[in-house]
Amino acid sequence: MSRQDTRAKVFTAAVELIAEQGYAATTVDAIAERAGVAKGTVFYNFGSKEGLFSALLDHSIERLAGALAAADTGESGVAALDSVVLGQLRFFEEHGPFARVLLSEMWRTAWQEAVARLRESALGVYAGVLRRAAASGEIRADLDVETAATALFGMVLTVAIERRALYPERPIEQTHQTLVELLNGRIR
Amino acid sequence: MSRQDTRAKVFTAAVELIAEQGYAATTVDAIAERAGVAKGTVFYNFGSKEGLFSALLDHSIERLAGALAAADTGESGVAALDSVVLGQLRFFEEHGPFARVLLSEMWRTAWQEAVARLRESALGVYAGVLRRAAASGEIRADLDVETAATALFGMVLTVAIERRALYPERPIEQTHQTLVELLNGRIR
DNA sequence: TCTTTTGTACTGACCAGTCAGTTCAAGAGA
DNA sequence: TCTCTTGAACTGACTGGTCAGTACAAAAGA
């Protein structure tokens, strides 16, 4: 078994347990046990509990940013926004435990540099889409795209977690449809 | 000093520390020290660390629900929605640490009954506003108001936390304006 | 050979919860 | 007025358990 395989197994076990119990309440013993690995192996690979979590955040944020960037169709219209929202819903559907970890730990000062990277990459995708839509005149040109990007990301993250927790059998497309209708705004 | 005063001091210390470090990482010793109270007093008043947190959640959720209900103007139109959004922003401006605590602990299974109460009361205000707007034809009648209510609540909560963390000097009205513009939707 | 993993045993710091004792204000009795 | 009692609120040293991290010898892989 390669070192990469070991790290992947530990990541999976860690994100699941931390999603359930939180970072501080999750012990390295429990992570090692669920990963089917000796405790020493965790320290050999990541140095410390904090090192493990930091690596986990980096790894997952990179994948999230990649998924959002891939979902961005590049259109200058708001269709691209719907697509990115769907991409985020799909990503958190596949990586459900990470959604809870991210929501819980996102604003903790201990992981600020990881969050800074999240802002640049993942939130940057939303900001880019909004900027293009503003440039093409489809939304107000004076919109604060940074705040709006955070609003959209937080909205989708919250809904993705609720869906997994309360309505796991509901198709993502239905949840997506609700969000799009909400954002399509008021009938005038 | 009355028992109520003591409980209030402990609440304030606890919510601040838990916002910074999370529930599990916050020790009762630290809470007692910041509250200027002996450790035994915390256990005398709340029975256990979990009892303290549970009481804190109940107390704060009740106040949040009251603030949202008070912000609901009762109008059947979407103006009421803007008003509730502003009410939520204002509440979390005044109770900033609680916003972080709520976001982090909201989906932990340990506090599910408190969260159930949150859904009934606070999210219920949003759902009610949306239902009225749907009935009056201002938004689509087939909108899933429960999911939309969660989406709105999560959106505002996320933005409120970001504002406090990154742009504390920015007036709330400006943030509110951005959210309203985002929800007013696309220019067609 | 060099890296990685295992499993067991250990340490020292930390922490929730306990409990015997203190403080004090409000009566009660004389 | 003075003394004594009561009970609620509070205190902080102490205990028993937990957990991150270490140590290390042996084995497995590559």
Side-chain angles (χ1 to χ4, degrees):
Chain A
M1 181 161 40
S2 77
R3 194 164 180 181
Q4 285 310 312
D5 290 344
T6 301
R7 289 173 66 101
K9 284 196 304 181
V10 173
F11 273 163
T12 303
V15 79
E16 286 174 6
L17 286 166
I18 296 172
E20 290 163 20
Q21 310 169 337
Y23 170 77
T26 301
T27 68
V28 176
D29 288 84
I31 293 170
E33 190 188 348
R34 180 168 305 194
V37 140
K39 184 182 183 177
T41 303
V42 175
F43 285 96
Y44 179 78
N45 277 278
F46 298 101
S48 67
K49 183 186 178 185
E50 200 172 312
L52 160 61
F53 188 63
S54 185
L56 171 62
L57 271 188
D58 286 353
H59 178 253
S60 300
I61 285 174
E62 200 175 341
R63 312 242 303 190
L64 167 61
L68 293 196
D72 182 1
T73 58
E75 298 163 274
S76 70
V78 286
L81 180 59
D82 296 349
S83 177
V84 173
V85 168
L86 183 58
Q88 188 183 342
L89 280 174
R90 288 217 170 105
F91 182 86
F92 286 132
E93 171 67 12
E94 198 179 350
H95 304 91
F98 177 62
R100 301 244 313 248
V101 172
L102 189 61
L103 190 74
S104 293
E105 303 293 337
M106 204 178 165
W107 295 102
R108 200 119 293 153
T109 44
W111 327 114
Q112 37 176 257
E113 20 65 69
V115 174
R117 232 164 298 135
L118 177 74
R119 299 189 70 79
E120 288 164 23
S121 54
L123 289 181
V125 172
Y126 273 113
V129 169
L130 290 172
R131 258 188 284 270
R132 294 205 309 271
S136 74
E138 291 202 49
I139 59 172
R140 290 173 174 238
D142 65 344
L143 182 73
D144 174 353
V145 290
E146 260 78 31
T147 298
T150 302
L152 289 166
F153 185 83
M155 178 184 82
V156 177
L157 180 54
T158 304
V159 167
I161 292 172
E162 183 197 49
R163 210 197 116 272
R164 276 185 66 96
L166 302 181
Y167 320 106
E169 74 297 330
R170 188 130 96 197
I172 299 178
E173 285 71 22
Q174 190 179 328
T175 304
H176 179 239
Q177 183 59 28
T178 299
L179 293 180
V180 168
E181 283 178 16
L182 183 65
L183 290 173
N184 265 328
R186 299 136 190 209
I187 298 170
R188 272 166 299 193
Chain B
M1 180 161 39
S2 77
R3 193 162 182 178
Q4 284 310 313
D5 290 345
T6 301
R7 289 174 67 101
K9 283 197 306 180
V10 173
F11 273 164
T12 303
V15 78
E16 286 174 5
L17 285 165
I18 295 173
E20 290 163 20
Q21 308 169 337
Y23 170 77
T26 301
T27 68
V28 176
D29 287 86
I31 293 170
E33 191 187 347
R34 179 167 306 195
V37 139
K39 184 182 189 174
T41 302
V42 176
F43 286 96
Y44 177 78
N45 277 278
F46 298 102
S48 67
K49 183 185 178 185
E50 201 172 310
L52 160 61
F53 189 63
S54 185
L56 172 62
L57 271 187
D58 287 352
H59 179 252
S60 299
I61 285 175
E62 200 174 341
R63 312 242 304 189
L64 167 61
L68 293 195
D72 182 0
T73 58
E75 297 163 275
S76 70
V78 287
L81 180 59
D82 295 351
S83 176
V84 173
V85 168
L86 182 58
Q88 189 182 343
L89 281 174
R90 288 217 170 105
F91 181 85
F92 286 131
E93 171 67 12
E94 198 179 351
H95 304 91
F98 177 62
R100 301 240 317 242
V101 171
L102 189 61
L103 190 74
S104 293
E105 302 293 338
M106 205 178 163
W107 296 103
R108 200 118 295 152
T109 44
W111 328 114
Q112 35 177 256
E113 21 64 67
V115 174
R117 231 164 301 136
L118 177 74
R119 300 190 70 79
E120 289 164 23
S121 54
L123 290 181
V125 173
Y126 273 113
V129 169
L130 290 172
R131 257 187 286 270
R132 294 204 310 269
S136 74
E138 291 202 48
I139 60 172
R140 289 175 173 235
D142 66 344
L143 182 73
D144 174 353
V145 291
E146 260 77 31
T147 299
T150 302
L152 289 166
F153 185 82
M155 179 184 81
V156 177
L157 180 54
T158 304
V159 167
I161 292 171
E162 183 196 50
R163 210 199 115 269
R164 276 185 66 95
L166 302 181
Y167 320 106
E169 75 297 331
R170 187 129 95 199
I172 299 178
E173 286 70 23
Q174 190 178 329
T175 304
H176 179 239
Q177 183 59 28
T178 299
L179 293 179
V180 168
E181 282 179 16
L182 183 65
L183 290 172
N184 265 327
R186 300 140 188 205
I187 299 169
R188 273 167 297 193

mmCIF file of all heavy atoms in Angstrom, chain A residues 89 93 163 167-177:
data_model
loop_
_atom_site.group_PDB
_atom_site.id
_atom_site.type_symbol
_atom_site.label_atom_id
_atom_site.label_comp_id
_atom_site.label_asym_id
_atom_site.label_seq_id
_atom_site.Cartn_x
_atom_site.Cartn_y
_atom_site.Cartn_z
ATOM 1 N N LEU A 89 -23.671 22.237 -5.295
ATOM 2 C CA LEU A 89 -24.581 21.242 -4.705
ATOM 3 C C LEU A 89 -24.062 19.832 -4.969
ATOM 4 O O LEU A 89 -24.061 18.977 -4.076
ATOM 5 C CB LEU A 89 -25.988 21.390 -5.295
ATOM 6 C CG LEU A 89 -26.870 22.499 -4.739
ATOM 7 C CD1 LEU A 89 -28.162 22.601 -5.529
ATOM 8 C CD2 LEU A 89 -27.168 22.248 -3.262
ATOM 9 N N GLU A 93 -22.776 17.067 -2.330
ATOM 10 C CA GLU A 93 -23.495 15.794 -2.316
ATOM 11 C C GLU A 93 -22.480 14.645 -2.259
ATOM 12 O O GLU A 93 -22.654 13.679 -1.523
ATOM 13 C CB GLU A 93 -24.360 15.667 -3.574
ATOM 14 C CG GLU A 93 -24.978 14.306 -3.780
ATOM 15 C CD GLU A 93 -26.014 13.981 -2.724
ATOM 16 O OE1 GLU A 93 -26.406 14.892 -1.983
ATOM 17 O OE2 GLU A 93 -26.427 12.803 -2.632
ATOM 18 N N ARG A 163 -30.237 19.420 3.153
ATOM 19 C CA ARG A 163 -30.757 18.376 2.277
ATOM 20 C C ARG A 163 -30.225 17.004 2.705
ATOM 21 O O ARG A 163 -30.977 16.047 2.845
ATOM 22 C CB ARG A 163 -30.350 18.654 0.827
ATOM 23 C CG ARG A 163 -31.347 18.127 -0.194
ATOM 24 C CD ARG A 163 -30.711 18.049 -1.566
ATOM 25 N NE ARG A 163 -30.662 16.669 -1.973
ATOM 26 C CZ ARG A 163 -29.690 15.833 -1.706
ATOM 27 N NH1 ARG A 163 -28.626 16.255 -1.046
ATOM 28 N NH2 ARG A 163 -29.749 14.585 -2.099
ATOM 29 N N TYR A 167 -33.478 15.542 4.062
ATOM 30 C CA TYR A 167 -34.181 14.970 2.908
ATOM 31 C C TYR A 167 -33.200 14.265 1.978
ATOM 32 O O TYR A 167 -33.072 14.624 0.795
ATOM 33 C CB TYR A 167 -34.909 16.073 2.117
ATOM 34 C CG TYR A 167 -35.565 17.121 2.975
ATOM 35 C CD1 TYR A 167 -35.009 18.402 3.082
ATOM 36 C CD2 TYR A 167 -36.742 16.851 3.668
ATOM 37 C CE1 TYR A 167 -35.622 19.382 3.864
ATOM 38 C CE2 TYR A 167 -37.353 17.821 4.445
ATOM 39 C CZ TYR A 167 -36.784 19.080 4.540
ATOM 40 O OH TYR A 167 -37.380 20.045 5.307
ATOM 41 N N PRO A 168 -32.497 13.255 2.468
ATOM 42 C CA PRO A 168 -31.414 12.662 1.663
ATOM 43 C C PRO A 168 -31.892 12.034 0.355
ATOM 44 O O PRO A 168 -31.093 11.876 -0.574
ATOM 45 C CB PRO A 168 -30.821 11.601 2.601
ATOM 46 C CG PRO A 168 -31.843 11.369 3.641
ATOM 47 C CD PRO A 168 -32.632 12.626 3.770
ATOM 48 N N GLU A 169 -33.169 11.678 0.280
ATOM 49 C CA GLU A 169 -33.630 10.991 -0.934
ATOM 50 C C GLU A 169 -34.048 11.977 -2.039
ATOM 51 O O GLU A 169 -34.242 11.587 -3.167
ATOM 52 C CB GLU A 169 -34.786 10.048 -0.590
ATOM 53 C CG GLU A 169 -36.102 10.742 -0.311
ATOM 54 C CD GLU A 169 -36.025 11.653 0.913
ATOM 55 O OE1 GLU A 169 -35.237 11.368 1.870
ATOM 56 O OE2 GLU A 169 -36.725 12.672 0.917
ATOM 57 N N ARG A 170 -34.191 13.236 -1.636
ATOM 58 C CA ARG A 170 -34.630 14.250 -2.602
ATOM 59 C C ARG A 170 -33.560 14.482 -3.669
ATOM 60 O O ARG A 170 -32.391 14.650 -3.343
ATOM 61 C CB ARG A 170 -34.878 15.543 -1.823
ATOM 62 C CG ARG A 170 -35.508 16.627 -2.641
ATOM 63 C CD ARG A 170 -36.702 17.168 -1.893
ATOM 64 N NE ARG A 170 -36.407 18.369 -1.130
ATOM 65 C CZ ARG A 170 -37.223 18.814 -0.153
ATOM 66 N NH1 ARG A 170 -38.287 18.129 0.205
ATOM 67 N NH2 ARG A 170 -36.926 19.916 0.477
ATOM 68 N N PRO A 171 -33.962 14.521 -4.945
ATOM 69 C CA PRO A 171 -32.962 14.753 -6.006
ATOM 70 C C PRO A 171 -32.377 16.158 -5.915
ATOM 71 O O PRO A 171 -33.087 17.128 -5.582
ATOM 72 C CB PRO A 171 -33.753 14.570 -7.297
ATOM 73 C CG PRO A 171 -35.184 14.681 -6.920
ATOM 74 C CD PRO A 171 -35.294 14.235 -5.495
ATOM 75 N N ILE A 172 -31.098 16.266 -6.214
ATOM 76 C CA ILE A 172 -30.414 17.559 -6.150
ATOM 77 C C ILE A 172 -31.051 18.567 -7.087
ATOM 78 O O ILE A 172 -31.113 19.755 -6.778
ATOM 79 C CB ILE A 172 -28.935 17.383 -6.547
ATOM 80 C CG1 ILE A 172 -28.267 16.425 -5.589
ATOM 81 C CG2 ILE A 172 -28.204 18.702 -6.526
ATOM 82 C CD1 ILE A 172 -26.852 16.172 -5.959
ATOM 83 N N GLU A 173 -31.527 18.084 -8.218
ATOM 84 C CA GLU A 173 -32.094 18.996 -9.222
ATOM 85 C C GLU A 173 -33.277 19.772 -8.626
ATOM 86 O O GLU A 173 -33.509 20.922 -8.958
ATOM 87 C CB GLU A 173 -32.540 18.215 -10.463
ATOM 88 C CG GLU A 173 -31.382 17.754 -11.338
ATOM 89 C CD GLU A 173 -30.572 16.636 -10.693
ATOM 90 O OE1 GLU A 173 -31.103 15.937 -9.801
ATOM 91 O OE2 GLU A 173 -29.393 16.473 -11.075
ATOM 92 N N GLN A 174 -34.013 19.102 -7.751
ATOM 93 C CA GLN A 174 -35.161 19.771 -7.143
ATOM 94 C C GLN A 174 -34.701 20.902 -6.217
ATOM 95 O O GLN A 174 -35.234 22.011 -6.249
ATOM 96 C CB GLN A 174 -35.964 18.724 -6.359
ATOM 97 C CG GLN A 174 -37.311 19.230 -5.866
ATOM 98 C CD GLN A 174 -38.065 18.132 -5.129
ATOM 99 O OE1 GLN A 174 -37.935 16.946 -5.446
ATOM 100 N NE2 GLN A 174 -38.847 18.516 -4.133
ATOM 101 N N THR A 175 -33.695 20.607 -5.395
ATOM 102 C CA THR A 175 -33.138 21.642 -4.524
ATOM 103 C C THR A 175 -32.566 22.776 -5.365
ATOM 104 O O THR A 175 -32.757 23.959 -5.049
ATOM 105 C CB THR A 175 -32.046 21.029 -3.631
ATOM 106 O OG1 THR A 175 -32.606 19.939 -2.899
ATOM 107 C CG2 THR A 175 -31.499 22.051 -2.667
ATOM 108 N N HIS A 176 -31.875 22.404 -6.416
ATOM 109 C CA HIS A 176 -31.294 23.409 -7.312
ATOM 110 C C HIS A 176 -32.389 24.305 -7.885
ATOM 111 O O HIS A 176 -32.248 25.535 -7.936
ATOM 112 C CB HIS A 176 -30.537 22.700 -8.442
ATOM 113 C CG HIS A 176 -29.917 23.636 -9.432
ATOM 114 N ND1 HIS A 176 -30.222 23.629 -10.767
ATOM 115 C CD2 HIS A 176 -29.026 24.634 -9.258
ATOM 116 C CE1 HIS A 176 -29.539 24.581 -11.378
ATOM 117 N NE2 HIS A 176 -28.807 25.207 -10.483
ATOM 118 N N GLN A 177 -33.468 23.677 -8.293
ATOM 119 C CA GLN A 177 -34.597 24.418 -8.874
ATOM 120 C C GLN A 177 -35.127 25.461 -7.879
ATOM 121 O O GLN A 177 -35.399 26.608 -8.241
ATOM 122 C CB GLN A 177 -35.700 23.425 -9.262
ATOM 123 C CG GLN A 177 -36.898 24.060 -9.942
ATOM 124 C CD GLN A 177 -36.496 24.790 -11.216
ATOM 125 O OE1 GLN A 177 -35.506 24.436 -11.858
ATOM 126 N NE2 GLN A 177 -37.231 25.840 -11.564
#
